[in-house]
């Protein structure tokens, strides 16, 4: 059987070769299925800003983003990061997808989200996302689980230490360092409740940067996992039965929530969120109904709830926030497979106010349009 792990030791001698002043730029975009895609181009010199990066294009008919008779989709750079794989002056470029008629591609949710973030920039909205995910082997079995069987019940795995309690720590550590090198605001990692399920946290990030950095962190995770022959699943309920699902808990605060007396502003935000529960859930990830059952540290998808230190509520107020009277809140409803632009966008729309030329629920509906 051919090994699917990459020959990084052999590759290293080629990565050490001089590039004669050229820069490799890996352009990353989001496809029709909510996965990242990428391809590389050579630049004559290092960019001094994102405006120096050229627009590019790709075959959208091969990614579900355009018909075959009109397949060119344009890549417009919006941010760039240091490349932890090629290193040196090489970069990873995050892009938006645009149609040839000058309109954003229907799977480009960043454009609408950015409008809301710009309109409410004075609110200084901070986000922190807790990205959970599950590891699988090349045969689509949960990584390191007994062949044809199951590990012991949940209990010893959350933040576990030791053989038989945690798996693939090397993958997770490699990803952590790759994010730090790239400039992603990764703030922590931990093993999760189900064995071979992990979490990393990104933030605090302001406005549109939250979505940008989570997408790049996901891309880096997939790239790191390639080298270890491991598959990454962001499905919110990758395994049926008495096993925890995977979420992307979303921590939120405005500048008025972060100062003494801010609890009043948090309570106002919660009342607004309660009135738009259905609209939010619609944007909180596919198959999230399999996860939000009221069990396994989740609230029911049917009803909105909130509580102090309650991990079975839609919104959790941390105990420290309730005690001090200011801080942030955690929306526990978003699934692990969310588009962070949709989630952060509708959050700002709900708690800070809508604007005339952006509507996140209509934005999401564009995906299913012809």
């Amino acid at each position: 059987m051919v090994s699917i792990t990459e020959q990084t030791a052999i590759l290293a001698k080629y990565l050490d070769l001089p590039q004669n002043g050229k820069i490799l730029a890996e352009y990353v975009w989001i496809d029709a299925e909510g996965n990242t895609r990428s391809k590389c181009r050579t630049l004559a010199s290092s960019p001094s800003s994102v405006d120096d990066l050229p627009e590019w294009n790709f075959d959208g008919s091969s990614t579900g983003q355009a018909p075959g008779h009109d397949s060119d989709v344009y890549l417009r750079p919006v941010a760039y990061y240091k490349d932890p794989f090629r290193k040196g002056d090489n970069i990873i470029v995050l892009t938006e997808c645009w149609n040839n008629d000058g309109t954003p591609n229907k799977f480009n949710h960043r454009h609408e989200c950015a409008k809301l973030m710009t309109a409410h920039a004075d609110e200084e909205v901070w986000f922190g996302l807790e990205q959970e995910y599950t590891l699988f082997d090349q045969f689509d079995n949960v990584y390191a689980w007994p062949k044809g069987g199951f590990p012991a019940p949940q209990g010893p795995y959350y933040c576990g230490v030791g053989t038989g309690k945690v798996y693939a720590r090397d993958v997770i550590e490699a990803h952590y360092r790759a994010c730090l090198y790239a400039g992603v605001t990764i703030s922590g990692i931990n093993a999760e409740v189900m064995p071979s399920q992990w979490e990393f946290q990104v933030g605090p990030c302001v406005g549109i940067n939250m979505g940008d950095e989570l997408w790049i962190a996901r891309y880096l995770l997939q790239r790191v996992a390639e080298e270890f022959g491991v598959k990454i699943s962001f499905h919110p309920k990758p395994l049926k039965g008495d096993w925890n699902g995977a979420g992307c808990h979303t921590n939120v605060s405005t500048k008025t929530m972060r100062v003494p007396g801010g609890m009043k502003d948090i309570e106002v935000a919660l009342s607004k969120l309660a009135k738009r529960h259905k609209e939010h859930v619609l944007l909180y990830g596919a198959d999230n109904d399999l996860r939000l059952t009221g069990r396994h540290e989740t609230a029911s998808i049917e009803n909105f709830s909130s509580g102090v230190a309650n991990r079975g509520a839609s919104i959790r107020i941390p105990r420290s926030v309730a005690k001090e009277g200011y801080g942030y809140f955690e929306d526990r409803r978003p699934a692990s497979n969310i588009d962070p632009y949709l989630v952060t966008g509708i959050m700002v729309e709900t708690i800070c106010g809508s604007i005339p030329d952006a509507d996140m629920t209509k934005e999401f509906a564009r995906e299913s349009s012809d």
Side-chain angles (χ1 to χ4, degrees):
M1 182 181 297
V2 176
S3 172
I4 63 169
T5 57
E6 297 184 5
Q7 303 298 315
T8 51
I10 298 173
L11 175 62
K13 66 181 183 180
Y14 297 100
L15 293 179
D16 287 339
L17 294 174
Q19 296 178 189
N20 298 324
K22 303 299 184 182
I23 304 300
L24 302 184
E26 190 77 20
Y27 277 47
V28 177
W29 72 94
I30 302 149
D31 70 11
E33 300 299 323
N35 298 312
T36 53
R37 307 256 184 157
S38 73
K39 63 177 184 172
C40 189
R41 69 181 298 166
T42 304
L43 303 179
S45 60
S46 295
S48 58
S49 75
V50 73
D51 296 329
D52 294 335
L53 293 167
E55 194 174 273
W56 207 8
N57 63 75
F58 67 94
D59 172 15
S61 68
S62 295
T63 64
Q65 292 170 272
H69 68 273
D70 188 14
S71 63
D72 284 358
V73 176
Y74 292 89
L75 297 172
R76 293 184 181 177
V78 293
Y80 65 97
Y81 306 82
K82 294 168 63 178
D83 188 336
F85 307 108
R86 297 184 175 113
K87 296 185 283 192
D89 292 328
N90 301 305
I91 57 174
I92 294 172
V93 181
L94 180 66
T95 66
E96 284 188 9
C97 295
W98 286 73
N99 303 318
N100 63 10
D101 62 0
T103 60
N105 187 264
K106 67 180 181 179
F107 300 101
N108 171 8
H109 301 306
R110 185 185 187 279
H111 179 65
E112 292 295 299
C113 179
K115 293 180 185 178
L116 282 157
M117 298 305 179
T118 299
H120 295 293
D122 290 345
E123 297 283 353
E124 297 176 17
V125 185
W126 290 5
F127 294 99
L129 297 186
E130 305 171 24
Q131 177 68 70
E132 295 178 343
Y133 58 95
T134 309
L135 306 175
F136 284 80
D137 65 22
Q138 66 184 97
F139 305 108
D140 294 322
N141 302 306
V142 181
Y143 188 81
W145 280 31
K147 302 301 180 186
F150 298 91
Q154 295 181 157
Y157 311 112
Y158 172 68
C159 297
V161 177
T163 300
K165 296 179 182 177
V166 291
Y167 306 106
R169 194 184 291 274
D170 50 357
V171 177
I172 280 67
E173 288 288 340
H175 173 245
Y176 202 162
R177 302 302 177 90
C179 285
L180 289 172
Y181 180 90
V184 171
T185 314
I186 187 168
S187 48
I189 58 170
N190 61 268
E192 267 301 332
V193 176
M194 189 179 88
S196 290
Q197 188 181 79
W198 287 82
E199 172 184 302
F200 65 86
Q201 303 95 34
V202 177
C205 295
V206 180
I208 199 66
N209 291 336
M210 183 70 262
D212 292 352
E213 294 202 19
L214 188 73
W215 274 117
I216 289 298
R218 285 175 172 176
Y219 168 78
L220 294 175
L221 178 60
Q222 297 277 18
R223 284 288 309 275
V224 167
E226 282 180 21
E227 298 192 10
F228 292 88
V230 174
K231 295 182 180 181
I232 304 296
S233 170
F234 294 113
H235 194 279
K237 190 68 175 178
L239 202 68
K240 295 180 180 179
D242 195 19
W243 304 101
N244 273 35
C248 193
H249 300 155
T250 301
N251 300 280
V252 186
S253 69
T254 62
K255 65 179 180 181
T256 57
M257 295 177 189
R258 296 190 294 269
V259 298
M263 181 57 71
K264 182 169 66 175
D265 293 278
I266 292 175
E267 290 170 352
V268 170
L270 297 190
S271 66
K272 293 177 179 178
L273 288 166
K275 295 173 183 176
R276 298 193 75 199
H277 175 66
K278 290 184 179 180
E279 289 91 335
H280 277 250
V281 167
L282 182 66
L283 275 61
Y284 277 11
D287 294 324
N288 206 16
D289 57 314
L290 303 177
R291 168 180 162 265
L292 294 181
T293 62
R295 300 183 63 227
H296 302 114
E297 301 182 59
T298 70
S300 168
I301 198 170
E302 300 298 331
N303 303 300
F304 180 87
S305 59
S306 62
V308 175
N310 184 358
R311 283 176 164 76
S314 305
I315 305 287
R316 179 181 71 91
I317 306 297
R319 180 74 65 189
S320 60
V321 172
K323 182 179 179 180
E324 295 172 3
Y326 63 96
Y328 68 98
F329 63 88
E330 176 193 49
D331 190 341
R332 298 179 59 80
R333 295 171 294 174
S336 49
N337 59 356
I338 58 164
D339 184 325
Y341 298 130
L342 289 173
V343 171
T344 59
I346 195 172
M347 180 62 69
V348 168
E349 183 179 74
T350 297
I351 69 173
C352 297
S354 60
I355 60 175
D357 60 342
D359 185 316
M360 296 312 294
T361 53
K362 289 182 179 179
E363 171 65 16
F364 176 68
R366 286 200 306 131
E367 282 195 13
S368 57
S369 63
D370 294 328

